[in-house]
């Protein structure tokens, strides 16, 4: 029987591994209802060019939603179940327990289709974003969750490790760093503007566009800043477009600051700020993910221990 053979586990596991590898190379599309969907499509089209449409028709931008992906997980689960029953009949309790836990892990993972999906946010220190009825703020020393001006919860986090915050569980990953810019003139600090319709602020973060450029304006100084690829700084005079300053900035570590004096008595201060990709899960979804991963790791650990024990028992003894 195919499911009872090693191929019954190996082929679905290999194809699923290739799918997971693809998802690391090509980030998957958010929900069409997600505000970030339009930006994701623009970035993906720019990156993959004419390959975008054929890959979309194959479902490779939403791989986990395709019937083939679910069929592979179902085949792997059935194969684990058959192996669990075979191990139980052969009186190998550790292997039976290992395969049974892997079956439960796949079943628990499948429940995620019926639970609320996670929310994805990208924040730098000092920034905040709406999350349902709440506002999530990334502070210098952690995360805080607010509702109508009241603090709901605050937590420290380390990227790659799960955390709990109010009614959510989450996990954070490191993304690229961005430059925070401040400006000053002969009379003191100057406010900046990130776009024509953006409010004035004492400091702004230079998030790059799809073309890798970031802009800021200093209205009082009549200066426009352009940073390309996070390093090439060009300062223009507003109105005329004349280049006032141009240089290649050195790479900055997170938190490191660089100052540049410009003609006219103006000073720019750049600080590298880390950016985090945050995934927030409603509590039922968070517990489902933890249980599924916990069962999978426990099952693999028990199976590995059983295989090691069997290998040691078959090895010739030493005198």
């Amino acid at each position: 029987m195919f499911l009872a053979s090693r191929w019954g586990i190996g082929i679905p596991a290999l194809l699923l591994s290739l799918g997971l590898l693809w998802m690391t190379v090509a980030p998957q599309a958010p929900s069409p209802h997600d505000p970030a969907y339009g930006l994701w499509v623009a970035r993906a089209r720019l990156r993959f060019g004419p390959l975008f449409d054929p890959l979309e028709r194959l479902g490779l931008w939403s791989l986990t939603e395709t019937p083939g992906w679910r069929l592979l997980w179902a085949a792997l689960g059935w194969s684990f179940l058959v192996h669990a029953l075979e191990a139980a009949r052969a009186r190998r309790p550790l292997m039976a327990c290992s395969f049974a836990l892997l079956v439960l892990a796949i079943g628990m993972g499948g429940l995620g289709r019926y639970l609320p999906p996670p929310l994805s946010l990208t924040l730098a220190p000092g920034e905040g974003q709406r999350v349902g009825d709440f506002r999530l703020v990334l502070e210098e020393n952690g995360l805080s969750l607010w509702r109508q001006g009241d603090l709901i919860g605050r937590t420290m986090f380390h990227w790659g490790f799960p955390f709990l915050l109010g009614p959510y569980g989450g996990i954070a990953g490191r993304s690229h760093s961005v430059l925070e810019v401040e400006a000053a003139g002969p009379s003191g600090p100057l406010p900046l503007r990130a776009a024509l319709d953006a409010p004035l602020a004492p400091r702004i973060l230079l998030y790059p566009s799809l073309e890798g450029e970031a802009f800021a304006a200093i209205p009082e100084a009549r200066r426009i800043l352009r940073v390309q690829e996070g390093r090439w700084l060009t300062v223009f005079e507003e109105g005329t477009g004349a280049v006032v300053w141009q240089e290649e900035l050195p790479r900055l570590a997170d938190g490191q600051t660089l100052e540049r004096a410009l003609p006219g008595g103006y000073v720019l201060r750049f600080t590298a700020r880390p950016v985090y990709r945050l995934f927030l899960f409603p509590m039922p979804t968070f517990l489902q993910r933890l249980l599924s991963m916990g069962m999978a790791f426990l099952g693999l650990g028990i199976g590995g221990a059983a295989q090691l024990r069997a290998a040691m028992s078959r090895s010739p003894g030493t005198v």
Side-chain angles (χ1 to χ4, degrees), residues 254-316:
D254 290 343
Q256 188 176 355
T257 297
L258 173 71
E259 289 190 356
R260 282 294 181 264
L262 305 182
Y266 300 106
V267 176
L268 298 178
R269 178 183 292 117
F270 297 96
T271 305
R273 298 296 185 191
V275 176
Y276 293 93
R277 182 85 168 177
L278 301 168
F279 294 92
L280 290 185
F281 302 84
M283 197 54 67
T285 307
F286 185 68
L287 294 176
Q288 171 259 334
R289 298 287 178 99
L290 282 183
L291 284 174
S292 179
M293 293 180 63
M295 290 176 179
F297 283 122
L298 185 59
L300 291 173
I302 292 176
Q307 293 283 1
L308 180 61
R309 180 180 176 183
M312 292 179 64
S313 65
R314 289 194 299 267
S315 62

Side-chain angles (χ1 to χ4, degrees), residues 9 38 42-43 66 68 73 85 89-90 93 100 147-148 151 153 155 168 171 196 212 218 264 275 291 306 312 314 319:
I9 293 178
R43 290 184 183 274
T66 59
W73 278 112
L85 295 175
R89 278 196 288 266
R147 182 169 56 190
Q148 298 179 353
L151 180 63
T155 185
Y168 297 102
I171 191 167
L196 289 176
I218 313 174
V275 176
L291 284 174
M312 292 179 64
R314 289 194 299 267
V319 179

Side-chain angles (χ1 to χ4, degrees), residues 1-2 7 65 82 102 104 196 204 213 216 244 247 249:
M1 183 180 178
F2 175 75
W7 295 107
E65 301 300 319
V82 170
L102 293 174
L104 290 175
L196 289 176
I204 60 174
E213 298 178 325
V244 176
E247 71 165 304
L249 299 175

Side-chain angles (χ1 to χ4, degrees), residues 58-278:
L58 292 173
L60 294 181
W61 300 123
S62 301
L63 189 59
T64 58
E65 301 300 319
T66 59
W69 184 260
R70 299 179 199 136
L71 183 62
L72 285 173
W73 278 112
L76 187 62
W78 277 109
S79 183
F80 283 149
L81 179 60
V82 170
H83 279 77
L85 295 175
E86 290 289 337
R89 278 196 288 266
R91 299 181 182 275
R92 294 186 294 161
L94 286 179
M95 291 304 300
C97 180
S98 171
F99 285 121
L101 284 170
L102 293 174
V103 172
L104 290 175
I106 293 175
M108 183 64 68
L111 291 178
R113 291 182 46 79
Y114 308 100
L115 295 174
L119 303 171
S120 175
L121 307 92
T122 301
L123 294 174
E127 288 189 311
Q129 193 168 330
R130 297 290 302 181
V131 179
D133 297 331
F134 304 92
R135 179 173 177 78
L136 181 71
V137 178
L138 179 58
E139 302 171 341
E140 292 290 344
N141 57 350
L143 284 167
S144 62
L145 193 67
W146 302 78
R147 182 169 56 190
Q148 298 179 353
D150 296 327
L151 180 63
I152 302 301
R154 179 176 280 122
T155 185
M156 299 288 293
F157 73 94
H158 300 281
W159 67 276
F161 290 88
F163 60 83
L164 296 175
L165 182 60
Y168 297 102
I171 191 167
R174 273 300 308 269
S175 186
H176 57 277
S177 296
V178 297
L179 290 176
E180 178 187 77
V181 61
E182 302 172 82
S187 60
L190 297 176
L192 300 101
R193 194 191 301 275
L196 289 176
D197 56 348
L200 291 172
R203 60 180 64 88
I204 60 174
L205 292 167
L206 298 174
Y207 281 106
S209 65
L210 294 177
E211 293 77 21
E213 298 178 325
F215 291 89
I218 313 174
E220 291 186 28
R222 298 180 56 81
R223 296 289 186 267
I224 305 294
L225 313 181
R226 181 180 69 185
V227 176
Q228 296 171 289
E229 299 178 357
R231 297 192 66 184
W232 295 95
L233 168 67
T234 307
V235 182
F236 302 93
E237 183 178 15
E238 186 179 347
T240 66
V243 175
V244 176
W245 187 272
Q246 191 171 40
E247 71 165 304
E248 181 182 3
L249 299 175
R251 295 192 181 276
L252 302 178
D254 290 343
Q256 188 176 355
T257 297
L258 173 71
E259 289 190 356
R260 282 294 181 264
L262 305 182
Y266 300 106
V267 176
L268 298 178
R269 178 183 292 117
F270 297 96
T271 305
R273 298 296 185 191
V275 176
Y276 293 93
R277 182 85 168 177
L278 301 168

Side-chain angles (χ1 to χ4, degrees), residues 5-92:
S5 68
R6 292 185 177 181
W7 295 107
I9 293 178
I11 291 177
L14 176 61
L15 294 176
L16 289 169
S17 299
L18 292 175
L20 292 173
L21 179 61
W22 166 254
M23 285 188 274
T24 62
V25 174
Q28 299 293 281
S31 167
H33 305 292
D34 193 314
Y37 179 76
L39 179 61
W40 177 89
V41 171
R43 290 184 183 274
R45 285 189 180 278
L46 187 66
R47 178 180 177 185
F48 291 92
L51 292 176
F52 179 85
D53 289 328
L55 293 174
E56 185 178 35
R57 285 192 288 270
L58 292 173
L60 294 181
W61 300 123
S62 301
L63 189 59
T64 58
E65 301 300 319
T66 59
W69 184 260
R70 299 179 199 136
L71 183 62
L72 285 173
W73 278 112
L76 187 62
W78 277 109
S79 183
F80 283 149
L81 179 60
V82 170
H83 279 77
L85 295 175
E86 290 289 337
R89 278 196 288 266
R91 299 181 182 275
R92 294 186 294 161

